[in-house]
Structures are given as C-alpha cells and as structure tokens.
Amino acid sequence: MSTPYAKLPGWVEYGLIPLINLAVAFVVAGLVVLLVGENPFEAAYHLINGAFGRGEYIGFTLYYATTFIFTGLAVAVAFHAGLFNIGGEGQAYVGGIGVALACLWLDKVMPWYVVFPLAILGSVFFGAIWAFLPGWLQAKRGSHIVITTIMFNFIASSLMVYLLTRVLKPLGSMAPQTRTFAEGGQLPKLDWLLSIFGLNVGTAPFNISFLLALAAAFGVWVLIWRTKLGYEMRTMGHSPSAARYAGIRESRITVITMMISGGLAGMMALNPIMGEQFRMQLDFVQGAGFVGIAVALMGRSHPGGIIPAAILFGVLYQGGAEIAFEMPSISRDMIVIIQGLVILFAGALENMFRPAITRAFAMRGQRAAAVVQTKGA
Amino acid sequence: MDFFHVLVVLLESTIRVSVPLVFAALAGLFTERAGVFDIGLEGKMLGAAFAAGAVAAVTQSVWMGLLAAILISVVLSLVHGYASITQRGNQIVSGVAINFIVAGSTVILGEAWFRQGGRTPALAEGARFQTINLPGADAIRDVPILGPIYADLLSGHFLLTYLAFIMVPASWWILYRTRFGLRLRAVGENPGAVDTAGISVIWLRYRAVICCGILCGFAGAYLSLAMTAGFVKGMTAGKGYIALAALIFAKWRPKNVMLACLLFGFLDALAIRLQGTPLPLVGQVPVQLMQALPYILTVILLAGFIGKAIPPKAGGVPYVKER
C-alpha cells in the first residue's frame, strides 16, 4: 500500500495535522471533565497554571519532560526501522538496575561526575539487554516483537519485585527499595539554567539528565539521518523487501535497532533514580514507557518533534497534578485518559481528518491556479 | 488436609481464575482470526467490569449490569474497529489507546459517581451472580473421590463459569462449522480472496470485532458481578495480557485456548498456594517467578522452542481494495 493521500506541504503534515489531532483529543478529554460535572475551562486553567505558573512548576514540567524525551526517542528509533517497541516500560525498569548498581558501588567514594557516566553506561547496558532478547527473537526465531516486548514488560516487573524485595533491599528494611544514595549518587539540579530566566527551581527535581536527554535527541537525529546505519534502518522501516534486495541484513538491523531503543529507554531510569528519589524504588517508571509511545506518535518520530511532545506530556503530568489538587473530583488519572486519547487520535486515527484537509488544500490550489489564469488573460 | 483435598481446592480456584481468561482469550480468538490484532482486551474487560459494577449498583439488577458490560465492551470494540478497519490505523496503537482511555476513565468516573476511591458500591445479593448448586451435589458430597469432585469442583460455580466453558465448543462450532466462521477465518488469512468472492471484508471484520466485544463483556461482568461484589479500580490487573498470551500459547485454536487458560489459571492458583512454602528438591520458589511463568512460557513458545505459533497471515494488516 503506497500512501493513498496526496502530498501536503510540510507545515501541514508536521504542524497542522498533529495539532488538529491533539485538539480533538483535548476536546474529548474536556467532555470527560463535563461528564464528571466540572468545568473543562477551569481544568484547562489549572493545567496551564500548574505547569508554568511558577519556576518550581516549570522545573517539575521539565523534569517529567526529561523522562519522556528518553522513552519517546526509544519508541521513535524502533519506529524508523518498522519495529514497534512496546517494551520501553520494561527496558526502563531493568535499566534502573544499571543505575542502582553504579550508585550503590561508588556513591560513597566518588563524586557524581564519576558515578554519572558509569550509571549511564549501566542503564544503557541493562536496557539494551532487555531489548536485545525480543529483537533477537524476532530476527532469528520470527516471534512478533509487539507480543514479546509486552511479555518482557511483565517479566521485568516480576524480576524487579524479586530484586527489590530480596536482593537489593538493605537488611532490616521493610520497604522494597535500595538504600538511599550518598552524595555521589545524586545528580546536581539545573537551577542555574532556570535562573537565567529569573526563575527559581524550588524543590523541583529538574536535574542534569535533562541535558543528557537533549544530547540523546541530537544523537538520535545524527544516527537516523546522518549515518549509514540510520539509512539502513529507515530503508528497512520503509520497505523490508527493498532493504533485503539492497543487501541490508535485516536481522542485524533489527537487533541493533532494538538495542539502541532499549538503551535509550534504559537511560530514562537516571532521571527518577539519580535525579529525584536517590534510590531505586518499586514502580519508579510509572508508565513512562507507554507515554513514550504517545510522545513518539505526536512528535512524528523526529527528535525535533519529540522534544516539544515530551514537554507537552510534562505539562500534562505536572499540570494534571495541580488539577487533581485544585479540583478534587478530578484525579491524576485524567492524564491517563488524555494520553490514551492522544495515542488514539494522533496514532490510530491520524488519517481521519486528512481527506478533509487534503480537499481543502486542493480547493485552495485550484483557486490559486484560477487566479493566475485570469491574471494571464 | 490430605493431598486429594488440596488438589480439589487448587483445581477449584484454577477454574475460578480461568473464567475471565477463557472469555477474553476467546474474544481475542474471534478478532485475531479475522485479521484484527487486539491488545485492547485488557481495556475492554476493565471497561466492561466497571460498567457492570456501576449499573448493577444503580439498578440493583445483575442482568442490567451484564447488559451494560456487553454494551460498553462492544462500543470500545467498535472504536477499535473504526480505527483499524475503516481508518486503516495501526491496530497495536489503537489497542494501546483503548487500554489507556479505559484505565483512566474508570477511575475518574467511578470516583465522580460513587466517591469511594474509584470503586463501585458493594453489590447486594440480587445485584450479583449467585453460585449454582448442581442437582444432587449435597447428597453426593460424602462419597469418596467422586463426591468432592462433583460437589466442589463441578458444582457451586457461577452461571458465567458454565457459560465460559460452553463457549469453548460453541466458538469451535462457529469458527469451523458455519459459513460465517469459514469466511471469518478466510478473512484473516487472505482477505483478497474473500473480497474476490464478493463478500465484504469490512463488514466481516466488524462482526468479528463485535463478537470480541460481547465476549470481553462477559469477562468483565464476571470480574465485578461474580468473582467479587463490585468494581475495584484496575481490577483486571493484566488479565487481558495473560489472555493474549494464552491465545498465542493456544496457537489460535478454541480447545487449546481453554487448556492454556486453565494452565495459566493453575499457575496463578499455585503461586498463591505456594507462597512461602518450600517445595521438595527445588526449595522455595519465588512467587514472582511463578507469576512471570505464563509470560516466559509464551516467549519460549513464540521463539518456536515448543512448537511454532503461527498467527493468522493477514493479522495486523488493514485491508485495502486494489484499484
């Protein structure tokens, strides 16, 4: 199936259509707010105010955005190779082991700038391992990557419960978590970045891993559009048969892509573990792996789109907490609905409004042509 | 407690936890056999469970609850159908979206309507399913071996439990012995051929999706109207994914679906049973390992180490008429 739709200008394709999809998602979410018996405009006000109203709020928004940049990039990289990595959740979770091990090992003797690179390596390593198996199974044994990654999410969850309740928990403690890291396991905050704009970051855990996320986004851009590997990935994603004909080794690309994707998802663990909680807790991923799907869909799998999409979800998470606080009848689960709606309209139903928009543009084109004609005559 | 008694208790709880899995996996069987992948089973089941709990609580009628469950589940199925059949959207993405929308809405609406932390009020007797005692169950109870099997294992379940196990041969009959079933399977393997024969691929797939909705409705209703008295938030707790795993494990065949669900149900029951008790030879098995076992088994199966699971050929691909 080639694209059944006419080609649209870039700003329509990458700007207008996602915005319309997003707007529809918000309208439907507004209807849910109405159904609950609350005023959707009031909710929208609290959402925006809660996300941007103060330096501290912005700090929280960007803290969440950091997480979603990583998981969004993870999903996007796989998308480019035609793979649907639904296992970001598990990969990020297991990636946490790498972070925790680096911190538990060195936090008392080394400063953060020594521990951080090791933690990055650890998170990438464990995340990549967790994605390697589904990738390898798809490449060599033909199992469907979507199903295996779902299964691996659950296996990861069981594994982490086991590790946190039996292995990594300090003696004598009841809570399923590692010990709190010393200073070496704590990332410095990015308060200076916000203070440039005269904002006070307050208690927000906005930390240095945000810069790592931006670097990762740039790295992904270079990888996908400026390297041979990226070209091969895109070729495979576009047409597996063409890739095979061109001599691209499909199984190799599948495994490598999944490992890069898993590594990126794993890096997500740095942000909550070293940046906020300073220990590894149960369920620290909190669905960020799935948010990554929405972020990648919204951002059209391009780092330039993923960063704003991740910030949008950061706004939803932070603003959503504020809505929950100000309007008790709306809980934070509102975010989950909006997220689902964004996935539905920006992902599964992305072509719903396309025929109408295409028609509108065709009409405009005709009119412009008619104007040219009359002028000529 | 002798061994036999323990076994009967274990099998009895196996049946209890398997019922929603059987319904949901059969639901998946219908859509996936028609070429529409569905990872939204979890969401549909959860939505149905909520609708059942909420409506039964308000109307005090178990049947209204069941009806609402089926209705909501079918509506969600149609959304999935619209996205993946009519709009030719990505079926996985659509399924994920439905899971999210339902997970959020059930909590928000439940909290707004009942104000009990996302749960629906506890259901009174008339508003939930009662267990059915098969004739003569009490009389035969004291007979050794046969007595407990009949009285405890076969008797004393809910109507929906019996329905679930009747649905297994019924699904087989529909899929393999009716014209609708033949076409349904054909549309999942080669929609082009079905189209050439002058049969609407779209309408067939929509009907498959509706069948899926009805069965997921039963699964959800069982959770909130039979297994427990009311809806608790997130009460499906991954059962939709286990059902999906069971469906793959069963290689998309009705009888195997039942066996796979029973196996996964058994593992679940065993995990609860074994918690903290060491086994001979292996020592203490971590509960987490038992819980992860269905998923691990499915991965091993998918990798082709225990037979090969071949999904319907046209699964996951929207059908486009050639022009």
Side-chain angles (χ1 to χ4, degrees), chain A residues 1 36 141 147 290 333 339 348, chain B residues 89 100 107-108 248 303 308 320:
Chain A
M1 184 184 91
V36 172
R141 317 279 322 184
I147 305 293
F290 295 112
D333 295 271
Q339 208 171 302
Chain B
F100 271 92
V107 178
I108 296 265
I248 296 158
K308 191 105 183 89
V320 187

Side-chain angles (χ1 to χ4, degrees), chain B residues 101-118:
Chain B
I101 294 169
V102 173
S105 319
T106 49
V107 178
I108 296 265
L109 296 178
E111 180 57 34
W113 292 342
F114 302 105
R115 307 210 174 277
Q116 294 184 11

Side-chain angles (χ1 to χ4, degrees), chain A residues 241-324:
Chain A
S241 51
R244 224 170 293 137
Y245 187 67
I248 294 170
R249 280 162 63 201
E250 216 178 332
S251 53
R252 182 171 158 269
I253 302 290
T254 302
V255 172
I256 294 178
T257 306
M258 280 307 286
M259 288 182 75
I260 296 172
S261 176
L264 284 163
M267 277 156 88
M268 170 267 158
L270 294 159
N271 192 36
I273 294 182
M274 283 186 85
E276 194 214 353
Q277 297 151 357
F278 310 129
R279 58 178 165 246
M280 182 161 73
Q281 292 173 315
L282 220 52
D283 282 331
F284 68 85
V285 184
Q286 297 198 329
F290 295 112
V291 183
I293 298 169
V295 169
L297 288 170
M298 271 299 303
R300 297 277 161 134
S301 298
H302 190 291
I306 286 171
I307 294 172
I311 293 176
L312 172 81
F313 274 91
V315 168
L316 283 179
Y317 267 66
Q318 168 54 20
E322 204 58 23
I323 295 180

Side-chain angles (χ1 to χ4, degrees), chain B residues 259-315:
Chain B
L259 294 177
C261 290
L262 284 171
L263 171 68
F264 290 174
F266 179 73
L267 289 175
D268 200 15
L270 197 64
I272 298 164
R273 175 92 207 154
L274 283 183
Q275 208 153 8
T277 43
L279 280 181
L281 297 174
V282 264
Q284 194 161 338
V285 183
V287 201
Q288 291 83 20
L289 181 66
M290 299 290 289
Q291 282 163 347
L293 215 48
Y295 305 111
I296 297 172
L297 285 176
T298 307
V299 170
I300 295 173
L301 173 90
L302 278 169
F305 293 115
I306 25 173
K308 191 105 183 89
I310 303 162
K313 240 193 229 105

Side-chain angles (χ1 to χ4, degrees), chain A residues 177-234:
Chain A
Q177 56 190 28
T178 63
R179 68 171 167 79
T180 307
F181 306 142
E183 229 158 85
Q186 306 187 357
L187 292 180
K189 280 194 195 177
L190 279 183
D191 38 7
W192 54 269
L193 190 67
L194 283 189
S195 61
I196 296 174
F197 304 98
L199 296 164
N200 181 7
V201 75
T203 60
F206 178 47
N207 63 75
I208 200 133
S209 59
F210 176 69
L211 299 181
L212 181 70
L214 295 183
F218 178 71
V220 166
W221 177 77
V222 171
L223 169 75
I224 301 288
W225 281 279
R226 289 290 179 276
T227 65
K228 178 165 170 274
L229 177 64
Y231 178 75
E232 291 178 338
M233 283 163 60
R234 281 185 293 138

Side-chain angles (χ1 to χ4, degrees), chain A residues 100-121:
Chain A
L101 288 182
C103 292
L104 291 172
W105 179 38
L106 287 173
D107 65 334
K108 284 178 183 157
V109 286
M110 291 288 176
W112 72 269
Y113 49 82
V114 177
V115 180
F116 190 42
L118 286 171
I120 295 173
L121 286 179

